[in-house]
């Protein structure tokens, strides 16, 4: 079986999924050697780039949050991040990576656990009602039960290319080491710890500092009617921001791992009506992505928009026009062209600077 996996691993050496390489295609480790296939495997993972198409998946996920009241903020990793260190792993130290894309992710259950511990330790009884509303209360046969009012989404990795416009993303994994000094004592082969055993360094992977995650919290279905629900959602996001900054998330937080610091404002968005399917809008969005892929000069994009699309998009529903305007803004960002872009959008019937 291992020989078969070794042959497969050789063919998927350049796969875009770091999690697959880390969890399924590890070579056999020879403990007496500090080089060879094992070290090459770790080095390959350290150099693993962000998948090319992940940015599009991230945008689709972010757009899906518009269906409910949602609070979001971007959190930057100030230190190494090690979430899922108890998962099965060939290195003995696990790491949670996105199941589909292989990029780092912080599960919503981890965020929920950090906030629960933080509220209990820092706010004590003053946050008892908030904890009841956040995490719910079990009850026998439904009597006295209360469901949690906030949904904790998985914090998704923010695509580096989409944010910075760089041609190449930096790597997001880094080799780490945990050194066992008393292997005999831990393994039960010696009676007492001693100072003459050889240390045993164990290499594993963690998430590099400086990467960013989008943290998102939403109101549970049916809570929109509560007049105080929006304020409670914002309060929850602020407390989670505190917990991630001061306590961190994941493993080895006592050693400084897992500190996430908010960058930019905390945004609270209201639900938006879904955009009806429109052949013209679908075609226009494809046109925008084609211009982006071909790196067409932004002034020429506006020329093409006015000539080919302005009249076609004017007749669409307001939600569809807003979706088209958003796509155009994401492509034409040059400050010198903003006035011309906004003029065209106003002609299309989109609110720009308080006017239509």
């Amino acid at each position: 079986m291992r020989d078969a996996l070794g042959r497969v691993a050789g063919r998927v050496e350049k796969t875009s999924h770091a999690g697959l390489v880390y969890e399924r295609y590890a070579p056999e480790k020879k403990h007496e050697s500090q080089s060879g296939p094992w070290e090459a495997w770790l080095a390959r993972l350290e150099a693993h780039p962000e998948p090319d198409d992940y940015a599009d998946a991230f945008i689709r996920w972010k757009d899906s949050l518009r269906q409910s009241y949602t609070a979001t903020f971007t959190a930057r990793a100030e230190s190494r991040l090690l979430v899922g260190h108890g998962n099965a792993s060939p290195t003995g130290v696990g790491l949670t990576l996105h199941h589909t894309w292989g990029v780092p992710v912080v599960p919503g259950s981890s965020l929920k656990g950090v906030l629960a511990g933080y509220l209990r330790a820092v706010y004590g009884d003053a946050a008892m009602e908030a904890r009841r509303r956040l995490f719910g209360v079990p009850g026998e046969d439904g009597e006295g039960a209360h469901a949690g009012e906030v949904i904790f989404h998985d914090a998704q990795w923010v695509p580096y290319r989409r944010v910075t416009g760089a041609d190449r993303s930096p790597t997001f994994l880094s080799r780490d080491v945990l050194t066992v000094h008393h292997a005999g004592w831990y393994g039960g082969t010696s009676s007492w710890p001693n100072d003459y055993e050889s240390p045993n360094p164990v290499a594993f992977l963690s998430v590099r500092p400086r990467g960013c995650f989008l943290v998102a919290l939403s109101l549970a279905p049916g809570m929109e009617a509560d007049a105080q629900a929006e304020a409670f959602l914002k309060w929850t996001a602020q407390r989670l921001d505190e917990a991630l900054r001061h306590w961190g998330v994941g493993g080895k937080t006592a050693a400084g791992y897992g500190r996430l610091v908010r960058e930019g404002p905390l945004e609270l968005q209201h639900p938006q009506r879904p955009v009806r399917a429109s052949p013209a809008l679908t075609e226009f969005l494809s046109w925008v992505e084609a211009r982006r892929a071909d790196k067409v000069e932004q002034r020429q994009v506006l020329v093409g928009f006015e000539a080919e699309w302005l009249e076609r998009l004017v007749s669409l529903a307001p939600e569809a026009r807003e979706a088209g305007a958003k796509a155009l803004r994401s492509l034409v960002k040059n400050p010198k062209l903003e006035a011309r872009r906004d003029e065209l959008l106003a002609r299309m019937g989109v609110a720009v600077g308080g006017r239509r």
Side-chain angles (χ1 to χ4, degrees), residues 15-84:
T15 179
S16 61
H17 198 298
L20 190 64
V21 178
Y22 189 52
E23 297 175 5
R24 294 292 182 268
Y25 297 127
E28 184 176 4
K29 183 178 182 181
K30 299 183 183 300
H31 294 280
E32 67 275 6
S33 173
Q34 296 298 321
S35 59
W38 183 266
E39 290 298 311
W41 171 73
L42 284 174
R44 186 165 70 248
L45 279 165
E46 277 194 295
H48 209 289
E50 180 184 293
D52 292 335
D53 297 330
Y54 171 67
D56 295 327
F58 175 82
I59 294 299
R60 288 195 300 270
W61 170 78
K62 187 177 179 181
D63 287 342
S64 71
L65 299 176
R66 295 177 171 272
Q67 299 176 15
S68 60
Y69 284 95
T70 303
T72 61
F73 62 90
T74 300
R76 185 186 70 252
E78 287 288 285
S79 58
R80 290 175 180 264
L81 181 67
L82 185 60
V83 177

Side-chain angles (χ1 to χ4, degrees), residues 77-153:
E78 287 288 285
S79 58
R80 290 175 180 264
L81 181 67
L82 185 60
V83 177
H85 63 290
N87 298 344
S89 166
T91 63
V93 181
L95 181 65
T96 298
L97 298 174
H98 196 286
H99 182 75
T100 304
W101 293 99
V103 296
V105 62
V106 182
S109 57
S110 297
L111 299 175
K112 196 172 185 178
V114 168
L115 182 59
Y118 181 78
L119 292 178
R120 186 180 298 109
V122 176
Y123 289 86
D125 292 341
M128 185 177 298
E129 176 60 18
R131 297 202 306 269
R132 186 190 71 84
R133 294 181 62 184
L134 277 173
F135 312 119
V137 177
E140 296 183 3
D141 300 326
E143 294 294 332
H146 179 78
E149 299 178 12
V150 174
I151 298 172
F152 290 74
H153 298 278

Side-chain angles (χ1 to χ4, degrees), residues 79-82 95 104 157 172-174 205-209 213:
S79 58
R80 290 175 180 264
L81 181 67
L82 185 60
L95 181 65
W157 177 261
F172 49 81
L173 297 177
S174 180
L205 294 173
S206 58
V207 180
R208 288 181 183 271
F213 296 85

